[in-house]
Each structure stands twice: as structure tokens, then as C-alpha cells.
Amino acid sequence: MTQTLETLAERLTRLEKTVTEMTLQLSELVDASVVAAQPDFHITDKLSEVEALQKMREQLRITDIQLMPLEELRKSMARHGIRAEDNEFSRAIIEERER
């Protein structure tokens, strides 16, 4: 029993450390994406929104990720009980939008 509790305590400590590291990495990624979202290329009148989005995705190195329409994403989140308001980063985005 003691070994089981010790094992659980060790696993919990590792899990907490991992979550902390992931939170930090995600925060750094969000910070980097904000900087990267300020493109260093000029969008001309001939450049479509799709092309601009593709260039931004290339800068962020996320071209291999399949995008879905926003409404479809919202429906999927709702089906899984995910609320944007419950996520720290989503709350920050919502707050920025409301300014």
C-alpha cells in the first residue's frame, strides 16, 4: 500500500511538472504566434484572403494542419462540451475582441 501511494505521488508530481511545462510552452507558442501574425509581407490588392492565410500558416509552420470552418469548429466543441470561456487563452482572445 505504501509503495502504491508513493508511486501515485511520484506520478502526480511528474504530471504536475508536465502540465506546467506544457502551459509554459503553449504560452510561448501563443506569444510567438502573435508576433508571427504580424506578417512581414505586404498584402497587395491582388492577394486574396486565402493566399494571405496560406502565407501566415507557412510562417507559423502549420501548413500540414487541416483547417475547418469556424461554425463547424464551434459545433464540434459544443458536442464535446468544450466552452471557449473555460480556456485561459480563449478568454484572452475574447477579451481582446471585446475591446
Side-chain angles (χ1 to χ4, degrees):
M1 179 81 169
T2 305
Q3 185 178 7
T4 304
L5 289 176
E6 289 173 1
T7 303
L8 286 174
E10 289 173 13
R11 291 177 67 188
L12 181 58
T13 301
R14 284 196 314 259
L15 179 62
E16 288 172 339
K17 181 180 177 186
T18 301
V19 169
T20 301
E21 290 172 358
M22 289 178 65
T23 301
L24 179 60
Q25 289 173 354
L26 184 56
S27 178
E28 290 171 355
L29 181 62
V30 169
D31 290 345
S33 68
V34 168
V35 170
Q38 300 170 0
D40 60 354
F41 59 89
H42 299 286
I43 300 176
T44 65
D45 293 337
K46 295 179 182 178
L47 189 60
S48 72
E49 291 178 8
V50 172
E51 290 169 320
L53 179 60
Q54 182 61 30
K55 284 207 177 271
M56 184 180 76
R57 293 178 70 212
E58 288 170 6
Q59 282 188 336
L60 295 173
R61 296 182 182 101
I62 57 170
T63 55
D64 57 329
I65 297 173
Q66 182 65 31
L67 299 178
M68 69 173 61
L70 184 57
E71 285 305 312
E72 187 178 326
L73 174 64
R74 287 181 177 153
K75 287 177 185 176
S76 175
M77 289 173 62
R79 278 194 307 269
H80 292 91
I82 300 170
R83 295 175 359 115
E85 301 83 18
D86 295 339
N87 179 284
E88 174 184 355
F89 298 103
S90 295
R91 279 195 308 270
I93 293 169
I94 292 168
E95 288 172 9
E96 278 299 313
R97 246 192 254 147
E98 292 175 351
R99 286 187 185 186

